[in-house]
Structures are given as C-alpha cells and as structure tokens.
Amino acid sequence: MSVSLVTLAQWMAAPEDQHLEFKEAKQTFSSESLVKYCAALANEGGGKLILGVTNNRPRRVVGSHAFLDLPDTVSWLFQQLRIRIEASALRHPDGRVVIFDVPPRPVGVPIHYKGTYLMRAGAALVSMSPDMLKRIFDETITDFSAEVCGDATLADLDTEAIKEFRDMWHRKSGNNGLLTRDDRQLLEDAEVIIDGEVTYAALILFGTKRALSRYLPQAEVIFEYRASEASGPAAQRRDYREGFFLYQNDLWRLINARNEIQHFQQGFFVFDIPTFNETVVREAILNAVSHRNYQLGNSTYVRQIGSRLEVVSPGGLPPGITLENILDRQSPRNRRLAEVFSKCGLVERSGQGVNRMFEESIKESKPRPDFTGTDDYQVALTLDGEVQDPVFVRFLEQIGRDQLTWYTTQDFLVLDLLRNDQKVPSNLRDRLHKLTEQGVTERVSRGRGTRYILSQRLYDYMGKKGVYTAKRGLDRATNKELLLKHIRDNRKEGSPLRDLRQVLPQLSDGQVQALVRELKEDGVIHYVGRTRSARWYPGPDVIGDE
C-alpha cells in the first residue's frame, strides 16, 4: 500500500466517517486498541486507521512512534482477525504517519475479537446490535434462482422461449451442437434443470403464464406509460407474467414506440440521438430481473414518463453492494440467472451492466443513471433521456471510437464531471494523468491549487474560445498585475490578504500568497503589521505612480 502526501492531505481535510479513523498515538498505541479498531472498521465496510494525526479538524500531523515493526504487527493482526490488513509508514515533514488499510469483512461473516463483534459509535467501540448481526448473517442466503420448484415440470416451460434462448446461445458460442439437442438436454446443460427437476430460474426465464401464476406470480414485470406526472391511471399498461425470453423484445418495442428522436445540427452536420438508448434500457431491465429478490411478493415495474424511464425492483441492493461501490463490485443475487444471461450474450460474465449504463449515458451527454430512491426494500433506477450538451457528443466522436474503447467507466465519469464544472473526487484523480496525456483534459496551475478542465480542443471545436479562456483563467503575469493594481488603488488604507483573495477568487489561498510573495521579491509592494493584521502597500519605487 503506497500513500502520497497529497492523498494524506485529502484524508485529513475530509470529515471523519465510517471509513476514516484518526488517532494521535504520539508515543504508543496499544495492540489491544489496534485490533479492536481494525475489527470495527472491517465490520463497517473497511477503511483506514491513521496514527500520528490529530482527530479534530483542522487536523495536523504530530507524528507517531507506535508499531515500529510493521511487518510483525501485520502478521499478528492476521493471527487475531484472519483478514489481511496492509500497513505503511509515511514520512511527513512533521513526523511519521502510520496507516493501516483494513479491508471489508467477507460477505455474511462479521469479524469478532475474543468473541465480541465490534462497531464504532462516535469515538467509542461498542458491540454490534443483534439486528445488525442478523442482517450480516442473512447475506449468506443461498441462490433462490438455483433452487428446485418441486411441483413444476418440463411441461411448465414454453417451447418458444426455449427456442429463443437456444438461438441466442448458438449465436454467442458458435456451437452447432446446441441446435440438435432436445429441450431437456439444452436446459440441463444450462443448469436450469437439475436431475430432471425444474429450478426457479427455469420458470423465471421460460415459464408459461399458467406456470408463473401458479408457482411464482411475483416474477412479473409490469410496464406503464404516462405522458406526464399527472396522477390517475396509466395511459398504457402491460403485465408480463411469463418467461423473460417471451417478453424481453416486446417490452423494448413498447418503450421504443414512444422513443422520440432528438435532432441537433452543428454547421452542416445533422445528427440524431434517441431519447432512450436501447443498450441502457435493456441493461436496466436485465439488472432488475437478475438481481431482484424473488422471495418478496412485489412485482418489478418499468414506468415510461415522458423522457424519463423508471425501473423499480424489490429487495434492495445485493449483499456487499452499495451506491458508493456499485460501479466497482459485482455480487449477483440470483447467480443462476446471471449465468444463463451470460451464456446467451445478454450480459458479460463480469457483470458490468451498471458500468455500461453509465458509459452510454455519458457518451450521449445525458444525466447519469440515478439510484435515488433505493433503500433496503427496493432498487429504484431513473434514466433521464434528455441530451444536455450535443456538442459534447460530437467532441467524443472526434476523439475517435477506437480510442474510446480503451476508456474505463472512471474515464467517462471524469469527463462528465469536468463538463458539468464539478470537482473530480480523489478516487478518480488518477485517471486525469492519462486523459491529459491524450490531450482530452488540461491541467491548470500546479501544487495544492491544481485543477483540471476539458481541453482547448473541445472549446475550439464548439467555437467557444472565450469560454475556454475564462475557465483556464488569466496567466501568472496578468494575475500579478491585478493584485498590484488593487494594492495601488487602496494605498491609503492598505490591502489585507483577505481582500487580495477576493481579487482572484478562482485561485487557492496558497496560490494568491505565492503571487504576493513574488511581488514583494520584485520590490513593488511591502507590508506593515504582522500575521492577520498585516496590510500590503505599494513599494517606494511606485508610490508616486498612477
């Protein structure tokens, strides 16, 4: 684990939350406290225990002499908790900082120390509550889709749905042998029939209407169309209580029937973008079908409202998945369903459906998929189809499709954040180096005040060179001239540093102070007073200038 001074500074500036714990520990820190805090952090999703830094903000480095033999300490922690914790010592100008990187506990397995399951409550460590322990143990619930439905038989499965699956699996695999196998053998090879018995996965994917109504009525998808937010019955409603392979294409046809095309023109070039991207919509529905909790009695809803699509499925996010890590981790609730979808090419085996939704939405300059409304009982996904910045779409096309295929989801997120003048979070900042090398983004200034903007190529392409100049800011010489003019104009009362910061609000405090120091070294300004009460005045050689 390698941590830079910049990363440490970002952690120190952030509020202490469930993933960061700071302790001074100037001379020592008990091994008992260390193992307890590591257990608590693991139970809360993992995090960092940082020694040698004050807890209260603004935090400062005080240095720590604790745990000088880190490899030995890490080995001892593993013996106590049976999880691999990484540790490193960072040499800060103000002292040694020790960082323990604690991974999240395994799914369904709370971490205990001497028989006690710990969590944090403010600055204290307490035992986990019984309901919290139950939620953790419940994470190990078996794959419901792989369980056998005792009364169902092969006659409960629709032959047309099986044929659709056969054709798709053949196209994906190129295995001609799939075309000659009988239905029973095909489904046994797909592992949805086990020793001649029909699983719930088989019913969800291939079941007849009669079979689903009898054995699993909640395995239905209900489509509703509304022209507006007005209350009242939907303008159109369709209930799909049948195998997924029977309705998947019909559901998309219903949505696509009102899929308005948005027309844009740039110069002589005219291009069209559909409100609903087929890839994004199909991925949203696949996620709802494969990840919902079928042991709950609710149906899955797909609601089309104007240019917005809502997909709501029962059961909350799968164990181990949160809104914060949804792009980085995969944990299918119904693994047997996911494996069938992978066989026929509907989803990647790695489960990157959410990533594809984000990437395609950003490429079309639409709002990112929104999971607001998701809780312990449902996953609520909203897709907004309104194109926000068509020129940005054309810019991505100019980058080139071949180049974009190498972009990660994180790269697209960075571009979208910069396009919306939003700050790039620390966990995405490592992507900026590559994007800057490719000429897609630019770095403005250096040091603590470093910021990034989209490249001049974009603004030149849009015909907005002035906007680029404004976003990049003035050059160093011009900034110094503005500060000097302000100091001259206020020569009678002098200029405190807080006023000089207002002259250049786009710069950080450190950048303004550096410019002021340069003006002082140039001999054109001087200060009177000390610390915060100091005021800056024109130097002797410019006092008479106007």
Side-chain angles (χ1 to χ4, degrees), residues 465-480:
K465 296 182 179 181
V467 174
Y468 168 78
T469 301
K471 286 182 177 290
R472 185 168 183 84
L474 304 173
D475 60 32
R476 197 172 191 83
T478 305
N479 285 332
K480 289 169 66 175

Side-chain angles (χ1 to χ4, degrees), residues 371-391:
F371 287 90
T372 301
T374 295
D375 55 30
D376 291 341
Y377 307 100
Q378 67 174 19
V379 173
L381 168 63
T382 299
L383 303 173
D384 188 336
E386 289 290 340
V387 176
Q388 300 172 304
D389 188 352
V391 178

Side-chain angles (χ1 to χ4, degrees), residues 523-526 537-545:
V524 296
I525 63 173
H526 70 282
Y537 296 87
D541 55 336
V542 296
I543 287 180
D545 293 349

Side-chain angles (χ1 to χ4, degrees), residues 193-368:
I193 290 183
I194 307 297
D195 296 329
E197 296 187 287
V198 174
T199 65
Y200 283 104
L203 288 174
I204 294 166
L205 299 173
F206 312 108
T208 64
K209 292 182 180 181
R210 179 179 177 278
L212 281 179
S213 296
R214 182 178 181 184
Y215 302 120
L216 200 63
Q218 64 267 36
E220 67 177 353
V221 174
I222 298 175
F223 170 80
E224 292 182 348
Y225 169 76
R226 298 174 185 271
S228 68
E229 297 283 357
S231 59
Q236 183 180 17
R237 177 183 169 112
R238 182 77 59 85
D239 295 0
Y240 293 104
R241 185 179 291 179
E242 56 191 353
F244 172 81
F245 284 98
L246 288 173
Y247 69 76
Q248 60 156 334
N249 291 324
D250 190 66
L251 177 54
W252 165 246
R253 280 192 291 269
L254 279 182
I255 297 169
N256 197 37
R258 300 182 180 90
N259 192 7
E260 293 187 3
I261 302 298
Q262 300 176 58
H263 303 279
F264 302 99
Q265 182 168 354
Q266 183 180 3
F268 294 106
F269 186 84
V270 178
F271 59 103
D272 299 333
I273 300 176
T275 296
F276 298 112
N277 179 297
E278 182 175 0
T279 297
V280 174
V281 170
R282 286 186 180 271
E283 287 289 352
I285 295 169
L286 281 168
N287 277 331
V289 171
S290 60
H291 296 310
R292 65 152 290 178
N293 187 340
Y294 285 97
Q295 293 173 293
L296 299 179
N298 301 342
S299 304
T300 296
Y301 281 86
V302 178
R303 299 185 179 100
Q304 185 177 359
I305 308 170
S307 61
R308 194 175 76 250
L309 194 75
E310 297 176 352
V311 182
V312 181
S313 55
L317 293 169
I321 304 298
T322 67
L323 295 180
E324 289 71 32
N325 67 21
I326 197 168
L327 291 173
D328 305 313
R329 295 185 187 175
Q330 295 81 43
S331 178
R333 176 176 274 119
N334 300 290
R335 183 173 296 276
R336 192 58 49 87
L337 290 178
E339 290 171 348
V340 173
F341 287 151
S342 175
K343 282 181 171 63
C344 63
L346 284 174
V347 300
E348 296 295 329
R349 185 65 181 88
S350 57
Q352 297 294 314
V354 176
N355 299 62
R356 291 186 69 185
M357 287 192 286
F358 272 75
E359 291 175 15
E360 293 299 323
S361 296
I362 292 171
K363 286 178 185 178
E364 294 183 341
S365 188
K366 297 172 182 175
R368 282 165 266 164

Side-chain angles (χ1 to χ4, degrees), residues 367-537:
R368 282 165 266 164
D370 183 5
F371 287 90
T372 301
T374 295
D375 55 30
D376 291 341
Y377 307 100
Q378 67 174 19
V379 173
L381 168 63
T382 299
L383 303 173
D384 188 336
E386 289 290 340
V387 176
Q388 300 172 304
D389 188 352
V391 178
F392 181 72
V393 181
R394 295 286 295 131
F395 174 65
L396 289 181
E397 290 184 359
Q398 289 295 311
I399 292 177
R401 295 187 183 278
D402 291 340
Q403 184 173 332
L404 288 181
T405 59
W406 294 97
Y407 279 26
T408 65
T409 305
Q410 287 70 29
D411 292 329
F412 286 108
L413 285 173
V414 167
L415 294 178
D416 193 56
L417 289 166
L418 294 179
R419 180 182 67 82
N420 288 291
D421 294 323
Q422 295 175 346
K423 184 178 179 180
V424 177
S426 58
N427 64 313
L428 294 177
R429 292 186 70 84
D430 62 323
R431 311 304 308 171
L432 286 162
H433 179 69
K434 184 190 79 170
L435 294 171
T436 301
E437 281 187 341
Q438 295 176 344
V440 179
T441 63
E442 293 182 13
R443 181 171 60 187
V444 179
S445 73
R446 295 177 180 273
R448 293 180 61 186
T450 297
R451 60 189 179 88
Y452 288 82
I453 61 174
L454 294 176
S455 72
Q456 186 174 4
R457 284 170 55 193
L458 168 63
Y459 295 100
D460 288 350
Y461 181 75
M462 290 191 297
K464 296 182 178 181
K465 296 182 179 181
V467 174
Y468 168 78
T469 301
K471 286 182 177 290
R472 185 168 183 84
L474 304 173
D475 60 32
R476 197 172 191 83
T478 305
N479 285 332
K480 289 169 66 175
E481 285 296 326
L482 286 174
L483 291 174
L484 182 57
K485 182 179 186 305
H486 179 85
I487 294 171
R488 288 175 176 174
D489 290 346
N490 296 275
R491 67 184 68 201
K492 290 184 179 181
E493 66 273 22
S495 300
L497 186 59
R498 65 175 179 273
D499 289 352
L500 298 180
R501 294 190 188 110
Q502 295 172 7
V503 175
L504 300 170
Q506 75 276 17
L507 301 185
S508 68
D509 290 354
Q511 289 172 314
V512 174
Q513 291 172 357
L515 294 173
V516 171
R517 284 196 298 269
E518 290 182 18
L519 289 172
K520 180 178 179 296
E521 293 168 0
D522 293 341
V524 296
I525 63 173
H526 70 282
Y527 67 91
V528 176
R530 292 182 178 277
T531 63
R532 294 184 179 180
S533 63
R535 291 176 178 266
W536 292 91
Y537 296 87

